[in-house]
Amino acid sequence: QSALTQPRSVSGSPGQSVTISCTGTSSDVGGYNYVSWYQQHPGKAPKLMIYDVSKRPSGVPDRFSGSKSGNTASLTISGLQAEDEADYYCCSYAGSYTLVVFGGGTKLTVL
Amino acid sequence: EVQLVESGGGLVQPGRSLRLSCTASGFTFGDYAMSWVRQAPGKGLEWVGFIRSKAYGGTTEYAASVKGRFTISRDDSKSIAYLQMNSLKTEDTAVYYCTRGAYDFWSGAYYFDYWGQGTLVTVSS
């Protein structure tokens, strides 16, 4: 069982928006503004999409946005495109003892 | 262009050892913490451990599941990070990714911004 809870799957049609949630505790997501999101296409390495809750690395489309409320972080993808179909993982700093926790991953299907 | 290339994976029997290497290029290797993340077949991502840059002592941190069995080291002169895996168990079977960065106050970063393509480690008799 992963430390952070994500829905197993979400889906949306091209052009629509979808939101993926990531629920933790006050010891990880809720305690620090250090949540990041990774996209992974089948057979490929993960790619950083969002860091520090809502910052986008250079080259990531602004269709991807992140936010946090309490112990739950969210990744929103607007204007869905076929190439967004992938697995998405959240990750959070969890303090100086545990350090890093991942979510179990969410499979995004573009209908 | 930042590149991370893992090598050293393969089939190994339970209880044996294996060393993975991560050869980096395209950035000043010694300035960055380096991490290892693994993914069991069909499963999610699991952080394994990281090594800080020499500026922060080159110290290491590990996940509880590998602490005492795995050791991360680095050779800044060759831009290589290593993952020494001892007393391997069947549950260590996974693709092992080398990543740049860490989730660490001392390193000042809380993300993995570049990933290698991964190397598969299979622990089986």
Side-chain angles (χ1 to χ4, degrees):
Chain A
Q1 187 171 348
S2 301
L4 305 179
T5 300
Q6 298 181 233
R8 292 290 295 269
S9 64
V10 298
S11 63
S13 299
Q16 288 186 331
S17 294
V18 294
T19 296
I20 300 172
S21 62
C22 170
T23 302
T25 69
S26 58
S27 296
D28 38 64
V29 173
Y32 309 94
N33 289 322
Y34 299 131
V35 176
S36 33
W37 290 88
Y38 299 89
Q39 176 193 65
Q40 186 179 36
H41 287 108
K44 301 295 187 181
K47 174 186 176 184
L48 177 66
M49 304 302 284
I50 296 287
Y51 68 99
D52 292 356
V53 176
S54 60
K55 297 177 181 177
R56 273 189 314 275
S58 174
V60 172
D62 60 6
R63 302 185 294 104
F64 291 83
S65 62
S67 62
K68 190 186 85 166
S69 177
N71 296 336
T72 298
S74 299
L75 173 71
T76 298
I77 309 170
S78 59
L80 266 180
Q81 298 182 4
E83 59 260 37
D84 299 333
E85 184 163 292
D87 293 326
Y88 292 84
Y89 293 90
C90 62
C91 185
S92 176
Y93 179 65
S96 59
Y97 182 72
T98 303
L99 288 167
V100 187
V101 289
F102 277 101
T106 297
K107 180 176 180 58
L108 168 63
T109 300
V110 180
L111 301 170
Chain B
E1 178 192 9
V2 172
Q3 285 196 318
L4 301 172
V5 179
E6 302 93 338
S7 59
L11 175 63
V12 60
Q13 293 179 328
R16 303 298 289 266
S17 299
L18 198 65
R19 188 178 81 161
L20 306 183
S21 299
C22 169
T23 302
S25 60
F27 64 102
T28 304
F29 180 78
D31 288 349
Y32 290 85
M34 298 297 296
S35 301
W36 290 89
V37 175
R38 69 183 180 182
Q39 186 171 36
K43 302 297 184 181
L45 301 172
E46 179 187 15
W47 171 68
V48 172
F50 66 74
I51 184 166
R52 298 178 178 91
S53 66
K54 289 291 197 297
Y56 297 104
T59 50
T60 53
E61 305 287 351
Y62 300 96
S65 58
V66 306
K67 202 167 189 177
R69 300 189 298 122
F70 289 12
T71 302
I72 298 173
S73 60
R74 62 190 301 156
D75 184 338
D76 290 352
S77 68
K78 296 180 179 178
S79 297
I80 299 177
Y82 300 99
L83 177 63
Q84 177 68 43
M85 304 183 291
N86 299 332
S87 303
L88 281 161
K89 306 175 181 180
T90 55
E91 53 263 41
D92 294 320
T93 294
V95 173
Y96 284 74
Y97 294 101
C98 170
T99 77
R100 190 179 80 169
Y103 285 68
D104 177 46
F105 172 81
W106 297 109
S107 299
Y110 296 88
Y111 49 80
F112 306 125
D113 60 354
Y114 289 94
W115 297 62
Q117 84 287 351
T119 187
L120 176 63
V121 173
T122 303
V123 184
S124 174
S125 53

